[in-house]
């Protein structure tokens, strides 16, 4: 007998094919999606508007994957971090970030358990790769946070563990479900995917019909520095990356964000700022300066930190040279829930 599959790993089209194969009318797809993505059903036999015979057939071939909460931590600033276990036993982290006025709720979800890219400044990169997540496992992270906060999710960022473009199809399926009316109905423009800069992924992403937002971790516009910081993308030349981003802007008319974490003595001097300005000139983009978040509790981190007045200086310098930018202060640092701090550990 074949092993059962997680029904939540199927995309809309695959569900349509499945219903067709089982001789069911099309409206069953909507009913099924409502059970899975709006009503959080965890047991197929409970889908009581589906014929009993269909429920039995589905039960035979599928299970409904669910996330098991391992720990939940609450930061002083209201940010919450969740550690989940997925059905295969791997663990992933998700962060819920409420705006200070309580109007918005942003969820940062993971696309892989761990990450194979090995960026030197990132806790996830240091921990290595475990597995890809299914679309259902990504969707459910966001759904769980909405229920925990008892509020609508207004913004989603795929900036947790993992490199989303190494798991492209499942990520897009998850985003579509978040965007869908038979899902959470989150506006596409409020859904952002962050990549370390995989060219094929950027090209494909520019062809998607939805207006999802793209962010790229740049961190250095000098090749040698970027290769050292981000060894997993050392085969991607900055010139090609710039080309791909320019095409993205021209095709979509949308402005990608470039993430840049200044690191002391590595990418924060005038030469690197000049290179960043040249990289951005003549292209739609917005630079997000992310003050580096500590990933160990040792002195190694302290030596890498750039003082906040230097970050402010970089921001003013970019501004003066016509490069739009902002400084993004991470939330949830006290619970290791900020950018780059996610890993699979339980003890904190
Ligand atoms: N793999 C994707 C998405 C996950 S990383 C990517 O790299 O874009 C999410 C963001 O956190 C990226 O912009 C990443 O560069 C940034 N980041 C990683 N480690 C960090 C750290 N220690 N401090 C600040 N930002 C960090
Ligand atoms: Fe992976 Fe992104 Fe971390 Fe790099 S920064 S190791 S690509 S999660």
């Amino acid at each position: 007998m074949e092993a059962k599959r997680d029904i939540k790993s199927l995309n809309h089209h695959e569900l349509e094919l499945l219903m067709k194969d089982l001789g069911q009318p099309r409206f069953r797809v909507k009913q099924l999606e409502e059970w899975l993505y709006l009503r959080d059903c965890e047991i197929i036999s409970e889908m009581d508007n589906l014929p009993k015979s269909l429920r039995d057939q589905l039960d035979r071939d599928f299970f409904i994957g669910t996330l098991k909460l391992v720990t939940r931590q609450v930061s002083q600033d209201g940010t919450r971090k969740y550690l989940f276990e997925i059905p295969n036993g791997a663990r992933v982290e998700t962060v819920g970030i409420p705006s200070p006025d309580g109007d918005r709720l942003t969820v940062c979800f993971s696309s892989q358990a761990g990450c194979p890219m090995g960026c030197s400044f990132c806790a996830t990169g240091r921990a290595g790769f475990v597995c890809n997540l299914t679309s259902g496992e990504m969707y459910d992270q966001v759904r769980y946070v909405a229920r925990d906060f008892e509020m609508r999710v207004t913004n989603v960022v795929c900036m947790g563990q993992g490199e989303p473009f190494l798991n492209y199809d499942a990520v897009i399926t998850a985003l579509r479900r978040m965007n869908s009316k038979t899902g959470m109905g989150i506006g596409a423009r409020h859904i952002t995917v962050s990549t370390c800069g995989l060219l094929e992924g950027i090209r494909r992403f520019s062809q998607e019909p939805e207006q999802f937002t793209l962010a790229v971790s740049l961190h250095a516009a000098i090749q040698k520095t970027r290769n050292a910081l981000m060894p997993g993308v050392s085969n991607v030349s900055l010139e090609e990356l710039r080309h791909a981003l320019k095409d993205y802007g021209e095709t979509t008319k949308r402005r990608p964000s470039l993430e840049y974490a200044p690191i002391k003595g590595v990418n924060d001097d005038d030469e690197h700022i000049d290179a960043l300005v040249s990289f951005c000139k003549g292209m739609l983009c917005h630079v997000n300066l992310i003050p580096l978040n500590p990933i160990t509790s040792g002195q190694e981190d302290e030596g890498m930190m750039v003082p906040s007045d230097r970050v402010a200086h970089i921001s003013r310098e970019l501004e003066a040279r016509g490069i739009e930018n902002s400084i993004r202060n991470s939330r949830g640092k006290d619970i290791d829930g900020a950018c780059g701090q996610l890993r699979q550990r339980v003890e904190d």
Side-chain angles (χ1 to χ4, degrees):
M1 201 180 86
E2 272 189 46
K4 287 192 184 191
R5 291 170 67 198
D6 180 358
I7 194 161
K8 281 186 146 173
S9 65
L10 301 188
N11 66 25
H12 180 73
H13 181 61
E14 288 163 339
L15 280 181
E16 281 181 340
L17 289 178
L18 177 68
M19 288 301 112
K20 201 169 159 211
D21 276 355
L22 296 175
Q24 295 291 329
R26 283 179 74 102
F27 66 84
R28 295 278 178 238
V29 176
K30 185 158 179 272
Q31 288 178 319
L32 199 52
E33 288 179 333
E34 283 175 357
W35 280 113
L36 294 173
Y37 300 106
L38 276 177
R39 298 161 87 165
D40 311 303
C41 180
E42 294 182 0
I43 301 170
I44 291 173
S45 61
E46 288 179 359
M47 300 178 170
D48 60 15
N49 58 358
L50 303 186
K52 172 93 173 47
S53 57
L54 173 60
R55 280 181 266 163
D56 289 345
Q57 276 170 318
L58 292 176
D59 230 352
R60 209 185 46 218
D61 298 334
F62 296 97
F63 69 97
I64 301 180
T66 50
L67 300 177
K68 208 167 83 196
L69 183 70
V70 182
T71 56
R72 171 181 176 278
Q73 290 170 278
V74 180
S75 156
Q76 283 163 3
D77 66 20
T79 299
R80 298 180 194 172
K81 184 173 81 166
Y82 310 79
L83 177 68
F84 295 111
E85 190 171 297
I86 63 173
N88 75 4
R91 291 177 167 193
V92 291
E93 288 180 319
T94 310
V95 187
I97 311 147
S99 63
D101 58 14
D103 284 354
R104 279 171 295 123
L105 175 60
T106 301
V107 179
C108 173
F109 74 94
S110 297
S111 56
Q112 299 181 311
C115 179
M117 304 312 285
C119 302
S120 64
F121 47 84
C122 171
T124 310
R126 288 196 179 182
F129 175 66
V130 181
C131 66
N132 276 334
L133 299 191
T134 66
S135 57
E137 289 156 359
M138 291 182 247
Y139 180 90
D140 283 351
Q141 294 173 54
V142 180
R143 185 77 183 158
Y144 192 101
V145 179
R147 287 164 67 190
D148 190 46
F149 276 87
E150 294 180 3
M151 76 183 273
R152 215 178 82 78
V153 172
T154 51
N155 297 74
V156 174
V157 293
C158 180
M159 293 190 184
Q161 285 164 261
E163 168 45 46
F165 288 169
L166 289 178
N167 190 13
Y168 191 93
D169 291 329
V171 167
I172 294 293
T173 299
L175 303 189
R176 294 220 162 102
R177 295 223 177 274
M178 292 171 197
N179 177 233
S180 162
K181 293 212 165 49
T182 43
M184 282 178 278
I186 302 165
R189 287 163 191 260
H190 300 287
I191 299 178
T192 301
V193 174
S194 178
T195 174
C196 59
L198 300 181
L199 301 178
E200 186 51 29
I202 295 173
R203 285 192 200 105
R204 283 180 75 184
F205 201 62
S206 72
Q207 302 298 323
E208 300 297 347
E210 295 87 357
Q211 304 221 307
F212 299 131
T213 301
L214 176 70
V216 172
S217 294
L218 183 65
H219 300 305
I222 292 181
Q223 192 74 51
K224 203 165 152 234
T225 312
R226 192 167 196 263
N227 291 355
L229 287 174
M230 306 177 70
V233 276
S234 58
N235 60 337
V236 175
S237 80
L238 281 162
E239 204 182 318
E240 285 174 306
L241 179 60
R242 188 170 183 282
H243 241 98
L245 287 171
K246 212 164 172 262
D247 284 349
Y248 172 88
E250 282 161 14
T251 309
T252 64
K253 311 279 180 271
R254 294 197 302 277
R255 188 180 65 162
S257 303
L258 302 178
E259 323 276 23
Y260 199 102
I263 305 170
K264 196 171 182 174
V266 176
N267 62 358
D268 67 332
D269 57 13
D270 292 344
E271 192 194 349
H272 281 86
I273 308 309
D274 288 346
L276 178 59
V277 170
S278 311
F279 187 88
C280 296
K281 277 277 178 223
M283 159 170 102
L284 279 178
C285 67
H286 180 94
V287 175
N288 270 325
L289 295 169
I290 316 173
L292 192 71
N293 293 309
I295 59 168
T296 64
S297 41
Q299 289 182 333
E300 183 195 354
D301 273 325
E302 274 162 39
M304 291 162 71
M305 297 301 185
V306 174
S308 57
D309 54 349
R310 174 72 191 163
V311 179
H313 167 82
I314 296 174
S315 170
R316 281 193 305 270
E317 183 68 19
L318 292 176
E319 182 74 39
R321 294 165 72 179
I323 309 301
E324 269 187 64
N325 72 93
S326 41
I327 300 176
R328 190 172 76 197
N329 275 309
S330 291
R331 310 262 310 274
K333 274 186 244 187
D334 55 333
I335 53 168
D336 276 356
C339 300
Q341 294 184 315
L342 305 185
R343 60 192 115 197
Q344 289 83 252
R345 60 184 182 173
V346 189
E347 78 295 345
D348 264 307

